[in-house]
Amino acid sequence: MIELYELAGQDPSARFSPYCWRIRMALAHKGLHAKLIPWHFGERRLPGGNMQVPVLVDHGHVVADSTAIARYLEDAYPTGPSLFGGENAEAHANFILAWTDQVLQPALFPLVAPDLPQHIKPDALPAWRATREERLGMSLAEAAARREQYLAAAHAAMGPLRHVLANQAFLGGSEPTYADYTVFGAFQWVRCGSGREILAEDDPIFGWRDQLLDLFDGLAGDCKVAEAA
Amino acid sequence: MIELYELAGQDPSARFSPYCWRIRMALAHKGLHAKLIPWHFGERRLPGGNMQVPVLVDHGHVVADSTAIARYLEDAYPTGPSLFGGENAEAHANFILAWTDQVLQPALFPLVAPDLPQHIKPDALPAWRATREERLGMSLAEAAARREQYLAAAHAAMGPLRHVLANQAFLGGSEPTYADYTVFGAFQWVRCGSGREILAEDDPIFGWRDQLLDLFDGLAGDCKVAEAA
């Protein structure tokens, strides 16, 4: 049995971790079923002593960190569709992962963070707020007040993504790869974490996201959209 | 016979176009020999009515634009080593190309531009300077004066590249692909166009660039380094 420990909100149907979405999509891509085990900020019951989700437990074998989990799934389940498309493709995808972690998600963070408290259990909220406000360098309310400025910066950061998706269906080409799921995770964070629409309908990123929301019988599209605070 | 029209400087050995370096390296990767035909800013004798280099002429067939040339070489010479590594790898590489064009090269431009006039023929210099200063939004001298600020911004922009190259030999994995040549072209622009060293020796990008300078019997490493103005 495969188990996936994933971040959940106070509403048990809320799923807003970008890293957990990478793995939800990767498991579906491989045709694998996992038992989903919700975890909330402040809880400490993750296997292997891990403090962050996602954590995958495959027949007792514990793998933590989304990138390591994706790598594990590719090796452990070689008969399913490849997540990457070969060695060169995986190496190139690593750049897209690094860009998502270092550029895209930091650009989206100040847009998402002010709406996230709705998902955090009251007893975990003070610690959650303190770490996020330290990362922002300001209060959540101040970040919310600068929303337009952050939105413009995020759209500028999305330039290379937009350019590519104007010319091909997916980052992986005609079909999605783990590179798509990685970037998509960031947009699920916005959608399921914040609930605010940041993409215009004529944005190539919008159409790409729609395709991914429909994939695997609407796995991601069926997820509860947050209510903007 | 394959001919490559490429940008040259006043010194006939100066080669500082990032786009031309992409194709020089791609041709060598494919094991193809091309007759190199120097072209200078302001000249108008490019095949097919093209106004920009590189232009490839393969037995009379004209292909312009570095990305189109790489695609052409991959199709026309399938028996040579692949430039991309398959469909998914090429699709992923397109993101690295877009990032290079939209993020890396614009970040390097104000560092390189002030040193480039040495390469431009005097009669072409006024028009060259006017277009570059318009792109900069300031004079070349003003850009030079802000060098430290631009250097810091360029290093911040290189973050995802640095992260990936700390963990794998090349963007393509254990061997370079066209994604490497694309990013490398930007660093050749700095090296052969400006001559200033912008990388510290302990930077993973420095070691990666060294590998590429050695490749193909030192094809790129043998090129004349500019003298910083």
Side-chain angles (χ1 to χ4, degrees), chain A residues 88-89 92 94 102 159 168 172 177, chain B residues 88-89 92 94 102 159 168 172 177:
Chain A
N88 295 131
H92 292 167
N94 286 337
Q102 294 195 8
Q168 61 196 47
T177 62
Chain B
N88 294 131
H92 292 166
N94 286 337
Q102 294 196 6
Q168 61 194 48
T177 61

Side-chain angles (χ1 to χ4, degrees), chain B residues 50-142:
Chain B
N50 288 291
M51 300 293 285
Q52 288 184 305
V53 283
V55 174
L56 187 91
V57 184
D58 186 3
H59 297 85
H61 180 65
V62 177
V63 191
D65 179 82
S66 58
T67 302
I69 294 171
R71 182 93 285 294
Y72 169 81
L73 293 174
E74 185 77 345
D75 281 345
Y77 298 93
T79 53
S82 172
L83 281 169
F84 300 104
E87 190 209 317
N88 294 131
E90 181 168 350
H92 292 166
N94 286 337
F95 184 89
I96 302 176
L97 271 60
W99 176 81
T100 306
D101 288 343
Q102 294 196 6
V103 178
L104 178 62
Q105 291 185 177
L108 296 175
F109 178 64
L111 296 169
V112 179
D115 294 324
L116 289 178
Q118 65 184 301
H119 302 292
I120 313 302
K121 289 188 171 178
D123 57 347
L125 193 54
W128 181 91
R129 180 185 291 272
T131 53
R132 271 60 188 177
E133 294 192 335
E134 186 181 352
R135 202 189 301 171
L136 285 167
M138 67 186 79
S139 73
L140 294 176
E142 284 173 294

Side-chain angles (χ1 to χ4, degrees), chain A:
Chain A
M1 186 177 66
I2 302 178
E3 296 170 310
L4 178 66
Y5 290 80
E6 62 168 6
L7 186 65
Q10 293 201 85
D11 177 333
S13 65
R15 292 290 181 280
F16 57 96
S17 158
Y19 304 101
C20 292
W21 273 111
R22 298 180 190 186
I23 300 307
R24 283 284 289 275
M25 299 297 277
L27 285 164
H29 182 100
K30 282 281 183 191
L32 295 169
H33 176 77
K35 181 182 172 190
L36 303 172
I37 303 174
W39 178 88
H40 301 86
F41 280 114
E43 290 180 0
R44 293 200 173 207
R45 55 180 180 82
L46 290 167
N50 288 290
M51 300 292 286
Q52 287 184 305
V53 284
V55 175
L56 187 90
V57 184
D58 186 3
H59 298 84
H61 180 65
V62 178
V63 191
D65 179 83
S66 58
T67 303
I69 294 171
R71 183 92 286 296
Y72 169 81
L73 293 174
E74 186 77 345
D75 282 346
Y77 298 93
T79 52
S82 172
L83 281 169
F84 300 104
E87 189 209 318
N88 295 131
E90 182 169 349
H92 292 167
N94 286 337
F95 184 88
I96 302 177
L97 270 60
W99 176 82
T100 305
D101 288 343
Q102 294 195 8
V103 179
L104 179 61
Q105 291 185 176
L108 296 175
F109 178 64
L111 296 168
V112 179
D115 294 324
L116 288 179
Q118 64 184 301
H119 303 291
I120 313 301
K121 288 188 172 179
D123 56 348
L125 193 54
W128 181 92
R129 179 185 291 271
T131 53
R132 271 59 189 178
E133 293 192 337
E134 186 182 352
R135 198 187 305 170
L136 284 166
M138 68 186 78
S139 71
L140 295 176
E142 284 172 295
R146 298 182 191 194
R147 179 175 176 76
E148 288 308 314
Q149 166 194 337
Y150 286 125
L151 191 61
H155 274 283
M158 289 176 214
L161 177 67
R162 184 171 289 119
H163 178 83
V164 171
L165 294 176
N167 291 291
Q168 61 196 47
F170 297 99
L171 293 170
S174 56
E175 301 288 340
T177 62
Y178 188 69
D180 289 277
Y181 306 144
T182 299
V183 178
F184 176 69
F187 289 97
Q188 279 294 80
W189 185 36
V190 176
R191 185 172 167 276
C192 301
S194 149
R196 294 181 198 266
E197 181 57 83
I198 62 167
L199 300 174
E201 286 187 25
D202 62 353
D203 188 328
I205 303 171
F206 185 97
W208 162 84
R209 188 187 58 179
D210 255 1
Q211 295 286 316
L212 286 159
L213 288 170
D214 284 346
L215 217 63
F216 311 127
D217 294 324
L219 168 69
D222 287 346
C223 185
K224 183 183 169 72
V225 176
E227 286 167 35

